[in-house]
Amino acid sequence: MHIVASLPREFAATSTSLEKQNGKSHFYDKPIAESFEEAPLHVMVFTYLGYGLGTLFGYLRDFLRSWGIEKCNAAIEREEQKDFVPLYQNFENFYTRNLYIRIRDNWNRPICSAPGSRFDVMERVSDDYNWTFRFTGRIIKDVINMGSYNFLGLAASYDESMRTVKDVLEEYGLGVASTRHEMGTLDKHEELENLVAKFLNVEAAMVFGMGFATNSMNIPALVGKGCLILSDELNHASLVLGARLSGATIRIFKHNNMQSLEKLLRDAVIYGQPRVRRAWKKILILVEGIYSMEGSIVHLPQIVALKKKYKAYLYIDEAHSIGSVGPTGRGVVEFFGLDPRDVDVLMGTFTKSFGAAGGYIAGRKELVDYLRVHSHSAVYATSMSPPVAEQIIRSMKLIMGLDGTTEGLQRVRQLAKNTRYFRQRLNEMGFIIYGNEESPVIPLLLYMPAKVAAFARHLLNRKIGVVVVGFPATPLAEARARFCISAAHTREMLDTVLENLDEMGDLLQLKYSRHRKSARPELYDETSFELDD
């Protein structure tokens, strides 16, 4: 189905107090257009049938292995430990042993170059049906990279613009060898934190060396026992882990469903904690800016209105949205034209748009000062590497225009332009794609496990590198390919990929959409995909 979520009338009144840039409010007054079309019935039947047959033969092969008729290459307990309680259950590896192993060659492909718009892939083959791999020594050159989160094209091989990173490496070295609380705070860290706060238009920010740990180690510092976390059902594993480590009560609401969220908020306020009925100490809403498996964008204006109505706190993970959406790349807050102060905790990573590593927490100064003392990542984790910090500084100054050029803004606009073009062409070809029309993360639904493998293998043979995703990262019957658009992609690269996808869609019968308009649409005129002024 196609979903178009319009902003309710009451949100329009908030636009008068929104952050203005260049004398003009960027309040997002368009409908939120997202597509989650369902597959035809016969596709789902064949998908489940494929998994059913795979499971049936898996049981048969496990039976043969148990009798020694077939060699078992999977991990098993040692004979001398047969009287021990098993360290892991054999059945837990059933899916890996019998289904995943058949198409394992499509994952963990090693590359041997910078993950730019093109990269080099090391060729590998298996002599034992994907249990082990060996390298042939051949390098597959100039593969079009459609899988890296290199949204602005800043993850590239060395050029003269990276001179400052090289200088910092020579002066500071690679590692800090200490935590922020001890001897690990450098002037580069303070410079970066001030720049992040300025970029996001907030009071303060704190940076961390690992993006995943930014969520998993900081959420427990903010909430604990007696608190309630309301988490979107499609939140990233780092958010899920952080919520679980906190010890707070966790309740899940349906993805981007405001009715589901409001019901949980209302019940939390009315009934309080289970059994004792005391009020919750805190209610924290956890969401993402762009959901990396669905390509959808959070319905932020509605969530902000709900959190204000019910006096909850809002924590937003902008790992995929910071740098990639918004008129100047400042994420979903700018995308919707909201005031950054409406979000209590702004989190993001530097691993995507900035071509580096690590993450940040930003917001009010009191929040950041509290985390400097209480965050496990600040107290125990090693500080961010100085050259990495300098790469982020360089990238952020480029986006903000502090380097004296408009190259950063041009990259943000080019990304939006490429995203619209690629999504429109895929829609015209008849593929089912998920997500928001402005999202540079584009899932293309494949469904059947055999087609997942064939899709990735055929495209690599055509020098196109894609990421395919299946269970358990997605629902069992919703395996997909996930394309990540970059500002570094030229129109020629995108057209090459689209032409091959068109042929692949016909070869593998992947054009499931009921809204298909034409089999092979003509290339669109470039002016049709210009950004709105």
Side-chain angles (χ1 to χ4, degrees):
M1 61 180 173
H2 288 274
I3 300 174
V4 179
S6 298
L7 298 180
R9 191 172 299 170
E10 57 266 27
F11 299 117
T14 64
S15 63
T16 57
S17 62
L18 298 175
E19 190 67 29
K20 295 180 182 294
Q21 297 182 18
N22 300 324
K24 178 181 177 182
S25 172
H26 293 293
F27 183 69
Y28 192 81
D29 56 357
K30 299 179 183 178
I32 303 174
E34 294 183 341
S35 176
F36 296 95
E37 184 181 349
E38 295 180 355
L41 179 61
H42 74 277
V43 174
M44 302 307 294
V45 169
F46 282 117
T47 299
Y48 282 112
L49 184 61
Y51 279 110
L53 289 174
T55 302
L56 181 63
F57 278 96
Y59 279 116
L60 175 61
R61 296 189 70 175
D62 277 355
F63 174 78
L64 297 177
R65 291 172 186 136
S66 66
W67 285 90
I69 300 174
E70 179 180 333
K71 180 182 178 182
C72 180
N73 292 310
I76 57 175
E77 297 284 0
R78 292 181 296 174
E79 182 64 26
E80 55 267 32
Q81 290 183 311
K82 63 181 180 180
D83 295 327
F84 283 45
V85 175
L87 187 61
Y88 48 82
Q89 297 297 319
N90 187 53
F91 185 75
E92 291 176 356
N93 294 320
F94 179 87
Y95 177 85
T96 302
R97 188 169 59 245
N98 294 298
L99 297 173
Y100 168 72
I101 201 69
R102 295 171 177 261
I103 56 177
R104 183 182 168 213
D105 58 295
N106 296 290
W107 288 273
N108 306 314
R109 287 172 172 158
I111 68 171
C112 52
S113 67
S117 58
R118 295 180 184 270
F119 56 23
D120 299 336
V121 181
M122 300 175 67
E123 185 181 60
R124 60 179 185 173
V125 296
S126 177
D127 301 315
D128 53 4
Y129 304 101
N130 287 349
W131 286 104
T132 61
F133 295 97
R134 62 177 175 84
F135 294 110
T136 64
R138 176 175 171 258
I139 304 298
I140 306 173
K141 294 280 190 179
D142 295 326
V143 176
I144 299 178
N145 179 7
M146 297 301 297
S148 296
Y149 293 128
N150 185 22
F151 295 127
L152 296 181
L154 296 175
S157 54
Y158 181 82
D159 60 38
E160 193 56 32
S161 67
M162 299 180 187
R163 166 67 63 179
T164 57
V165 179
K166 183 178 180 181
D167 293 342
V168 168
L169 173 62
E170 293 175 349
E171 180 179 354
Y172 291 81
L174 276 172
V176 180
S178 183
T179 69
R180 291 294 297 271
H181 274 205
E182 296 168 336
M183 302 291 290
T185 297
L186 305 178
D187 56 346
K188 283 295 170 185
H189 296 141
E190 295 184 352
E191 179 185 355
L192 174 56
E193 289 173 346
N194 292 332
L195 189 61
V196 170
K198 182 178 179 181
F199 179 67
L200 299 174
N201 194 24
V202 295
E203 294 178 6
M206 183 176 182
V207 298
F208 304 87
M210 181 181 179
F212 190 98
T214 305
N215 277 331
S216 58
M217 293 292 100
N218 283 295
I219 293 175
L222 296 173
V223 290
K225 188 175 181 181
C227 299
L228 175 65
I229 291 176
L230 302 180
S231 178
D232 190 292
E233 64 179 342
L234 297 182
N235 275 342
H236 189 262
S238 60
L239 289 169
V240 174
L241 178 60
R244 289 175 176 173
L245 290 175
S246 71
T249 300
I250 305 170
R251 290 176 184 163
I252 309 300
F253 64 91
K254 294 180 180 178
H255 176 54
N256 261 345
N257 188 311
M258 297 305 105
Q259 291 75 23
S260 175
L261 175 58
E262 183 166 19
K263 182 180 185 303
L264 290 176
L265 283 167
R266 187 188 303 114
D267 289 347
V269 171
I270 294 173
Y271 299 111
Q273 300 180 42
R275 295 188 298 276
V276 296
R277 298 305 179 194
R278 296 191 185 121
W280 295 100
K281 294 179 181 178
K282 300 176 196 171
I283 301 176
L284 181 66
I285 302 171
L286 293 183
V287 294
E288 291 187 53
I290 293 179
Y291 292 84
S292 61
M293 286 298 171
E294 306 300 309
S296 54
I297 295 179
V298 63
H299 295 178
L300 190 58
Q302 293 96 321
I303 291 180
V304 167
L306 287 176
K307 81 106 179 176
K308 289 181 177 180
K309 179 179 179 181
Y310 292 96
K311 304 297 187 291
Y313 293 99
L314 176 58
Y315 183 115
I316 182 168
D317 177 349
E318 291 219 67
H320 298 87
S321 54
I322 193 67
S324 65
V325 296
T328 60
R330 285 167 166 81
V332 292
V333 176
E334 183 190 47
F335 179 78
F336 288 108
L338 299 177
D339 190 328
R341 291 172 294 184
D342 289 334
V343 180
D344 301 287
V345 187
L346 287 161
M347 177 270 173
T349 64
F350 304 117
T351 56
K352 281 86 177 173
S353 297
F354 302 94
Y360 66 82
I361 295 285
R364 296 178 61 188
K365 186 176 185 301
E366 292 85 352
L367 166 74
V368 175
D369 289 344
Y370 176 85
L371 289 177
R372 291 190 192 281
V373 178
H374 294 87
S375 169
H376 286 77
S377 190
V379 177
Y380 300 110
T382 302
S383 302
M384 178 183 288
S385 173
V388 172
E390 179 60 30
Q391 162 65 10
I392 302 166
I393 292 170
R394 184 188 75 88
S395 300
M396 196 164 287
K397 285 182 176 179
L398 179 74
I399 298 171
M400 297 171 71
L402 298 180
D403 63 337
T405 72
T406 60
E407 182 184 346
L409 182 59
Q410 290 171 3
R411 286 176 183 261
V412 172
R413 290 182 174 272
Q414 186 63 46
L415 173 62
K417 188 175 177 181
N418 287 350
T419 296
R420 293 180 180 181
Y421 178 73
F422 200 78
R423 278 187 172 272
Q424 184 69 25
R425 288 293 311 280
L426 290 178
N427 273 322
E428 293 289 340
M429 290 177 185
F431 293 103
I432 292 179
I433 61 173
Y434 277 0
N436 191 288
E437 61 183 12
E438 306 287 345
S439 169
V441 178
I442 307 176
L444 187 153
L445 275 292
L446 303 174
Y447 299 105
M448 304 178 196
K451 292 187 178 183
V452 171
F455 185 84
R457 289 167 183 162
H458 281 298
L459 284 180
L460 184 60
N461 289 337
R462 299 172 183 225
K463 290 195 172 184
I464 299 172
V466 299
V467 171
V468 287
V469 190
F471 180 82
T474 69
L476 186 66
E478 293 187 17
R480 64 199 65 177
R482 185 181 61 191
F483 296 94
C484 294
I485 305 302
S486 172
H489 288 140
T490 64
R491 181 57 59 90
E492 290 73 25
M493 289 180 189
L494 296 179
D495 285 340
T496 298
V497 174
L498 287 164
E499 289 168 8
N500 282 279
L501 288 178
D502 198 8
E503 295 176 12
M504 200 60 55
D506 293 333
L507 176 66
L508 300 178
Q509 297 295 306
L510 297 172
K511 299 178 179 180
Y512 303 123
S513 177
R514 298 178 180 87
H515 306 288
R516 180 176 177 181
K517 296 180 181 178
S518 62
R520 290 180 181 272
E522 296 297 324
L523 294 181
Y524 285 88
D525 180 46
E526 188 161 339
T527 58
S528 301
F529 296 89
E530 293 290 348
L531 293 172
D532 295 334
D533 292 329

